Amino acid sequence: MKIERAIKIRYLFDQQVDKVTNRFEALFQQVQERSALLSHRLEESERESVRLHQTLSRDRESSRRELEEVKKLREVLLSDHASALRDHEERYTQLLIKHEQEKSQHEQMKRHAEKLEEDLKQAQLTCAHQRDELKSLDQAEGLLSTVEGKMNGLSNHNRSLQKDLQSKENQ
C-alpha cells in the first residue's frame, strides 16, 4: 500500500514537473518568436531610415539646383522646400525615435529570453534533484519494507519461543 502510494506520488510529481517544463519551453518559444519579429521590424525601420535619408539628400540637391535656376521664385520655393524638409526631418526623427524604442524593446526581450532560459535551466536542475530525492525515497521505502518483514518474522519466532518456554515451564 505504501509502495502504491509512493508510485502515485511519484507519478503526480513527474506530471507536475513535465507541465512546468512544457510551460517554460512554450514561453521560451514565444519569446524567441517575438524577438525574431522585433528583429524583422528593426531591419525594416533601418531600411526605411536609409531610404528617407537618401530621399532627404536628393530633395536637398534638387532644391539647390532649382534655387540656382529660378531666382525669381526663390522665396516661394524656399519656404515650400523648408516646409517639406521639416516634415521629412520630423518623420526621420520620429522613425529614429521609433527605431531606438524598438531596439530597446528588442534588448529587453533578449534579456527576458535569457532570464527565461536561465529559469528553465534552474527548473530542470530542480527537477533532476527532486527525481534523485524520489529515488532515494523509493530505496528507503524498500529497505523499510524489508526491515518490517524481518521484524514480523522475528516477532513471530519470538512468540513461538515464548509459547515453547511457557509450555515447558507449565510441564
Side-chain angles (χ1 to χ4, degrees):
M1 181 159 176
K2 289 182 180 182
I3 293 173
E4 290 176 7
R5 184 174 175 190
I7 289 171
K8 286 180 183 178
I9 290 171
R10 183 176 184 180
Y11 175 74
L12 292 174
F13 180 76
D14 284 345
Q15 281 184 331
Q16 189 65 24
V17 167
D18 289 343
K19 285 180 186 177
V20 169
T21 302
N22 289 341
R23 242 184 295 140
F24 274 114
E25 288 174 353
L27 286 173
F28 182 71
Q29 181 65 29
Q30 287 176 349
V31 167
Q32 284 183 325
E33 291 171 1
R34 288 180 186 168
S35 177
L37 179 63
L38 286 174
S39 178
H40 179 69
R41 287 182 184 168
L42 181 64
E43 290 172 6
E44 287 179 356
S45 294
E46 287 175 351
R47 284 193 296 270
E48 180 69 17
S49 175
V50 168
R51 189 187 64 77
L52 285 175
H53 183 68
Q54 291 171 347
T55 301
L56 282 173
S57 297
R58 281 194 308 264
D59 285 349
R60 285 179 185 161
E61 188 61 32
S62 68
S63 292
R64 285 187 195 123
R65 278 189 249 123
E66 288 174 8
L67 286 174
E68 290 174 4
E69 293 173 5
V70 185
K71 291 182 179 180
K72 293 179 182 179
L73 299 175
R74 183 175 187 220
E75 293 297 320
V76 174
L77 291 176
L78 184 61
S79 67
D80 290 344
H81 177 69
S83 175
L85 186 60
R86 277 193 304 274
D87 291 343
H88 284 293
E89 287 176 344
E90 286 176 8
R91 177 74 176 138
Y92 178 76
T93 303
Q94 291 171 353
L95 286 173
L96 192 59
I97 291 170
K98 185 178 177 182
H99 169 73
E100 289 299 321
Q101 289 172 344
E102 288 182 358
K103 189 175 180 181
S104 174
Q105 288 175 347
H106 175 72
E107 289 298 320
Q108 289 175 351
M109 292 299 284
K110 186 177 176 181
R111 285 191 300 271
H112 185 66
E114 290 169 346
K115 183 184 181 306
L116 285 177
E117 187 174 349
E118 185 178 312
D119 290 347
L120 177 62
K121 286 179 183 177
Q122 185 63 35
Q124 288 172 340
L125 287 174
T126 301
C127 177
H129 178 68
Q130 289 175 343
R131 283 185 180 153
D132 290 343
E133 286 179 1
L134 188 59
K135 286 179 185 177
S136 296
L137 285 174
D138 286 345
Q139 289 173 351
E141 272 190 36
L143 289 174
L144 184 63
S145 164
T146 303
V147 168
E148 190 176 311
K150 287 181 180 180
M151 282 180 55
N152 287 339
L154 289 174
S155 178
N156 289 337
H157 184 65
N158 190 22
R159 280 189 216 118
S160 69
L161 288 175
Q162 283 179 350
K163 285 180 185 178
D164 288 345
L165 184 62
Q166 281 180 352
S167 66
K168 287 181 182 179
E169 285 178 358
N170 288 338
Q171 290 178 357

